[in-house]
């Protein structure tokens, strides 16, 4: 199923959405830091075929959305999410699916207890804060991208190779004889500052809708954070994919689809997709230290 590109304007900031149409419950897909909505194309197509209304957002500062918005706070991202839910969900149940930076936006939006938010899937995301040093490391990495890349193959290699590198490289634009990111590294660095100043456990405790966490064994959610998440949200469902890293949605799309489809059927009672190889819920294990993307 193909998509159309929609523009959603909130507070003067233009946001770009890939809209796959349909009349079923709304699923809003949120990418990670420095990512783009196209990372979700495979999942979006399959969920749309299952009968859901699927939107994938280029978050502010990314992709085809406003590249240099004045406000890159967590609150601004949350208001974007809730504004889209209100505009496109027709008042019905919506499920938010976000990876890392997008997962935090989904978490905070769910904490608002908006009546139209029926559940959230957090892919490699949690409520723990990060140290200033960790945030500086991420910002420094973004600033060190050797742009423009001379070609797509060079970009894929630098960005990790395989399906992860391909997924990231598909968000670049070709112009002026090279391949360029569709974000401003300094803007994204600004958007990370809150993460180094506080955590989000109070918001985590406020969530009262079903939650699914999808983690990579080699991802960023460590055992201590996971234990706190599970203890403070007793109904939390968790799936850890062995061998997977932070970009689990790109590394293991079949298993991510299976887990998300099963969760959607449970929470909003629609769709008819199969659930292949989703794995069992369980302890996330020692998946590394918390960070941000």
């Amino acid at each position: 199923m193909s998509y159309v590109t929609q523009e959603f304007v909130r507070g003067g900031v233009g946001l770009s959405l890939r809209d796959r149409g349909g009349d079923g419950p709304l699923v809003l897909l949120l990418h990670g830091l420095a990512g783009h909505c196209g990372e979700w194309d495979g999942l979006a197509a399959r969920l749309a075929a299952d009968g859901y209304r699927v939107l994938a957002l280029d978050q502010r500062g990314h992709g085809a959305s406003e590249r240099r918005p004045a406000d890159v706070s967590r609150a601004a991202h949350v208001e974007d999410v809730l504004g889209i839910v209100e505009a496109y969900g027709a008042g019905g149940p919506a499920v938010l699916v976000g990876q890392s930076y997008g997962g935090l936006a989904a978490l905070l939006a769910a904490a608002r207890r908006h009546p139209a938010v029926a559940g959230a899937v957090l892919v490699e995301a949690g409520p723990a804060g990060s140290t200033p040093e960790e945030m500086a490391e991420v910002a420094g990495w973004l600033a060190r991208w050797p742009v423009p890349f001379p070609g797509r193959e060079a970009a894929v290699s630098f960005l990790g190779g395989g399906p992860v590198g391909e997924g990231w490289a598909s968000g670049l634009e070709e112009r002026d004889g090279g391949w360029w990111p569709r974000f401003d590294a300094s803007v994204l660095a600004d958007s990370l500052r809150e993460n180094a100043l506080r955590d989000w456990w109070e918001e985590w405790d406020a969530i009262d809708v079903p939650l699914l966490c999808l983690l990579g064994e080699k991802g960023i959610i460590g055992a201590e954070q996971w234990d706190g998440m599970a203890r403070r949200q007793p109904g939390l469902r968790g799936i850890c994919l062995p061998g997977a890293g932070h970009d689990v949605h790109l590394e293991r799309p079949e298993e991510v689809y299976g887990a998300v489809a099963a969760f959607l059927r449970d929470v909003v009672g629609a769709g008819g997709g199969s659930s292949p190889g989703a794995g069992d819920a369980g302890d996330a294990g020692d998946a590394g230290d918390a960070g941000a993307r």
Side-chain angles (χ1 to χ4, degrees):
M1 184 181 296
S2 60
Y3 63 83
V4 297
T5 300
Q6 305 273 13
E7 184 182 31
F8 178 76
V9 179
R10 193 192 69 77
V13 175
L15 303 172
S16 182
L17 293 156
R18 290 188 181 182
D19 181 0
R20 293 180 183 266
D23 299 320
L26 177 64
V27 180
L28 178 59
L29 304 172
L30 305 165
H31 63 77
L33 185 76
H36 60 101
C37 66
E39 293 179 28
W40 296 113
D41 277 353
L43 178 64
R46 296 187 71 173
L47 295 179
D50 287 345
Y52 298 101
R53 174 73 185 276
V54 185
L55 300 174
L57 171 66
D58 270 337
Q59 296 194 77
R60 55 177 55 216
H62 295 79
S65 292
E66 170 60 45
R67 185 165 295 186
R68 297 177 180 85
D71 188 355
V72 289
S73 66
R74 292 292 87 203
H77 287 81
V78 170
E79 292 299 337
D80 292 343
V81 169
L82 296 180
I84 291 166
V85 166
E86 291 170 352
Y88 290 92
V95 174
L96 311 175
V97 180
Q99 190 259 349
S100 196
Y101 178 90
L104 180 57
L107 184 163
L108 297 177
R112 292 281 194 91
R113 298 189 175 185
H114 191 288
V117 175
V121 179
L122 311 181
V123 183
E124 277 286 300
S130 300
T131 67
E133 291 76 19
E134 288 169 335
M135 294 297 89
E137 183 178 350
V138 173
W141 177 70
L142 293 173
R144 290 193 300 271
W145 283 27
V147 294
F149 295 101
R152 181 182 170 87
E153 288 186 4
V156 171
S157 177
F158 177 82
L159 296 169
V164 172
E166 290 285 350
W168 281 64
S170 66
L172 302 174
E173 60 181 352
E174 186 178 12
R175 60 178 171 82
D176 303 329
W179 292 74
W180 298 80
R182 293 190 297 164
F183 59 78
D184 184 314
S186 64
V187 172
L188 300 196
D190 287 344
S191 75
L192 293 176
R193 287 179 181 167
E194 278 182 84
N195 293 52
L197 299 175
R198 58 161 298 179
D199 59 43
W200 313 98
W201 288 106
E202 182 178 348
E203 288 80 3
W204 179 255
D205 293 343
I207 298 173
D208 64 351
V209 295
L211 293 169
L212 169 65
C213 285
L214 296 179
L215 308 178
E217 180 186 11
K218 300 177 181 178
I220 65 170
I221 306 299
E224 182 178 357
Q225 181 176 187
W226 169 256
D227 290 345
M229 291 165 68
R231 183 176 65 255
R232 296 167 77 151
Q233 284 283 350
L236 175 65
R237 312 175 197 194
I239 296 174
C240 181
L241 299 182
H246 188 49
D247 290 300
V248 62
H249 63 306
L250 299 174
E251 295 179 61
R252 306 283 276 277
E254 285 291 328
E255 289 156 290
V256 169
Y257 163 70
V260 172
F263 181 76
L264 290 173
R265 289 195 300 271
D266 246 11
V267 172
V268 293
S274 61
S275 182
D280 298 325
D283 195 313
D286 188 4
D289 296 330
R293 173 190 160 215

